[in-house]
């Protein structure tokens, strides 16, 4: 509501001023229609911003802070000049609710935007990928149905997986940009591996995106999501990272996921953003361990109904989130 608050206030001020044409407080049908039109227009803008932001989120471990940064970045790319204050309104709404992204010092549009992807010299990896995806994107609108879209996308994902596994396998800088592990020399013992001792990864999704901004500028992009996983013990003090004990089925483990969203610009054949959740992020791993073991005492049940009191539940639905 804060986004179009000033417009609504002006209209209501006119309607309730009692100018003599209408009694004070009466709303003319034309004024009601205009009010509804302005509200619907602003609501549609907000909805479009929320949907666009999904492409700018990491593929795993998304939190509200990540979503706010994705929302600000996606809207800034398409609408450089936010004369209506949409982005500021979103930031203020998140701030009022105590939602602050990690690793961001100030809540401003400039600081919340995802950083530009890479240095100029590193783009050679992604220029090859973008060039090969160009023809796929150009034919995307001519596919007959959703099945053909799915099959063609799966085929392209397979080719991209093969390219990364074979041509970029010995590129440490590519690992750093994506936050994932591709080389056989990867020091993570608990990561899933395939042939040649290479870490297993998945090209989870690949989809083209073509957007037109209010000034007529067109964004031609391809959104690629790459994911990876580790099977780590819940107890971080398990001997030898839990490998020996895990074989004896004595240590409980859970799946720790990493992933990266690559946003490629097909106009310049460059990587626009690399939005990642590193597979080797110890801080994030420790947070997931604490959540699973209940070290901080918080659970989904406690979020809605408070802490347990002598093992009793006041709400039957809470049994689904009892955290035990």
């Amino acid at each position: 509501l804060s986004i179009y608050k000033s417009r609504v206030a002006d209209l209501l001020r006119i309607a309730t001023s009692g100018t003599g044409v209408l009694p004070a407080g009466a709303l003319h049908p034309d004024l009601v229609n205009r009010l509804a039109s302005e509200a619907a227009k602003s609501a549609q803008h907000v909805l479009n911003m929320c949907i666009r932001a999904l492409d700018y989120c990491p593929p795993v471990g998304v939190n509200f802070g990540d979503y706010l940064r994705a929302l600000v970045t996606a809207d800034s790319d398409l609408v450089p000049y936010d004369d209506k204050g949409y982005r500021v309104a979103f930031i203020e709404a998140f701030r009022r609710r105590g939602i602050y992204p990690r690793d961001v010092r100030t809540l401003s549009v400039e600081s919340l935007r995802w950083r530009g992807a890479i240095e100029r010299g590193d783009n050679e990896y992604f220029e090859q990928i973008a060039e090969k995806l160009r023809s796929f994107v150009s034919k995307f609108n001519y596919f007959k149905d959703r099945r053909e879209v799915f099959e063609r996308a799966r085929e392209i994902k397979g080719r991209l997986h093969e390219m990364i596994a074979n041509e970029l396998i010995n590129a440490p800088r590519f690992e750093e940009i994506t936050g994932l592990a591709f080389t056989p020399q990867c020091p993570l013992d608990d990561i899933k591996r395939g042939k040649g001792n290479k870490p297993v990864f998945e090209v989870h999704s690949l989809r083209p995106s073509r957007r037109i901004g209010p000034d007529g500028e067109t964004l031609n992009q391809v959104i690629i999501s790459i994911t990876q996983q580790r099977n780590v013990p819940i107890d971080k003090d398990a001997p030898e990272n839990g490998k020996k004990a895990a074989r004896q089925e004595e240590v409980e483990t859970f799946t720790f996921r990493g992933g990266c969203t690559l946003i490629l610009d097909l106009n310049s054949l460059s990587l626009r953003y690399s939005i990642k959740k590193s597979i080797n992020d110890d801080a994030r791993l420790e947070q997931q361990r604490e959540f699973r073991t209940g070290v901080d005492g918080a659970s989904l049940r406690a979020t809605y109904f408070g802490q347990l009191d002598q093992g009793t539940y006041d709400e039957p639905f809470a049994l689904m989130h009892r955290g035990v």
Side-chain angles (χ1 to χ4, degrees):
L1 291 176
S2 60
I3 294 175
Y4 52 86
K5 182 179 179 181
S6 60
R7 300 181 189 177
V8 174
D10 291 340
L11 294 173
L12 291 177
R13 193 178 301 113
I14 296 172
T16 57
S17 60
T19 59
V21 178
L22 293 174
L27 291 176
H28 192 276
D30 290 342
L31 192 58
V32 173
N33 291 336
R34 182 179 173 187
L35 178 62
S37 176
E38 291 293 332
K41 184 189 299 182
S42 296
Q44 186 63 54
H45 290 167
V46 170
L47 178 61
N48 291 340
M49 290 175 66
C50 293
I51 294 174
R52 272 199 307 268
L54 297 176
D55 283 342
Y56 284 69
C57 289
V60 299
V62 184
N63 54 46
F64 285 114
D66 294 333
Y67 185 72
L68 175 60
R69 299 191 68 180
L71 194 150
V72 170
T73 307
D75 192 65
S76 298
D77 278 358
L78 191 64
V79 187
Y81 305 105
D82 184 21
D83 56 335
K84 299 296 190 299
Y86 283 87
R87 295 194 282 270
V88 175
F90 266 105
I91 294 172
E92 178 61 20
F94 275 67
R95 185 197 65 79
R96 289 200 306 267
R97 290 160 177 79
I99 300 174
Y100 303 99
R102 298 187 179 95
D103 303 325
V104 176
R105 294 185 178 181
T106 60
L107 288 179
S108 65
V109 173
E110 292 74 15
S111 61
L112 287 173
R113 288 190 64 176
W114 295 119
R115 292 183 179 180
I118 54 176
E119 300 174 1
R120 182 176 299 178
D122 296 323
N123 196 55
E124 56 178 328
Y125 310 126
F126 305 98
E127 186 174 351
Q128 303 173 35
I129 297 175
E131 181 65 38
K132 294 184 178 180
L133 292 177
R134 235 182 194 176
S135 60
F136 165 71
V137 174
S138 63
K139 300 175 183 177
F140 188 81
N141 293 328
Y142 300 98
F143 293 145
K144 298 178 181 178
D145 50 34
R146 294 179 61 184
R147 175 181 290 276
E148 187 174 0
V149 171
F150 171 77
E151 292 176 349
R152 286 289 294 153
R154 183 172 58 181
E155 178 185 348
I156 298 299
K157 287 192 297 181
R159 293 181 183 178
L160 180 58
H161 186 282
E162 183 179 353
M163 178 183 176
I164 295 175
N166 296 332
E167 300 180 25
L168 302 177
I169 194 65
N170 294 317
R173 183 65 181 146
F174 186 76
E175 284 191 332
E176 183 179 347
I177 293 170
T178 59
L180 302 177
F182 300 107
T183 62
Q185 295 78 23
C186 169
L188 300 175
D189 295 330
D190 49 23
I191 198 168
K192 189 176 181 180
R193 297 178 183 265
K195 295 181 179 179
N197 203 36
K198 298 178 182 178
V200 174
F201 66 94
E202 177 188 12
V203 180
H204 185 73
S205 66
L206 186 153
R207 57 191 180 278
S209 173
R210 189 172 185 270
R211 301 187 178 99
I212 301 177
D215 57 354
E217 183 179 357
T218 302
L219 293 180
N220 292 313
Q221 299 174 335
V222 173
I223 316 298
I224 303 172
S225 296
I226 306 175
T227 58
Q228 203 167 41
Q229 63 184 40
R230 295 165 55 187
N231 197 36
V232 298
I234 292 182
D235 182 8
K236 65 179 180 179
D237 297 323
E240 298 182 8
N241 293 326
K243 289 178 62 179
K244 182 177 179 180
R247 287 196 297 268
Q248 301 173 355
E249 298 182 357
E250 296 177 359
V251 170
E252 185 178 0
T253 62
F254 71 96
T255 301
F256 177 71
R257 294 179 172 84
C260 177
T261 297
L262 303 175
I263 302 180
L264 298 178
D265 188 337
L266 295 182
N267 294 331
S268 61
L269 296 180
S270 61
L271 178 66
R272 192 76 177 89
Y273 297 101
S274 176
I275 305 165
K276 60 186 178 181
K277 292 283 184 174
S278 176
I279 193 67
N280 196 23
D281 189 339
D282 293 333
R284 192 165 63 90
L285 174 59
E286 188 60 28
Q287 290 173 356
Q288 291 197 16
R289 275 200 175 107
E290 290 179 356
F291 177 79
R292 289 177 174 273
T293 56
V295 171
D296 56 1
S299 67
L300 289 176
R301 190 270 176 196
T303 300
Y304 299 103
F305 306 105
Q307 298 293 341
L308 300 180
D309 183 14
Q310 298 179 351
T312 61
Y313 297 96
D314 298 330
E315 170 58 51
F317 185 74
L319 291 172
M320 299 177 62
H321 304 293
R322 58 185 182 274
V324 297

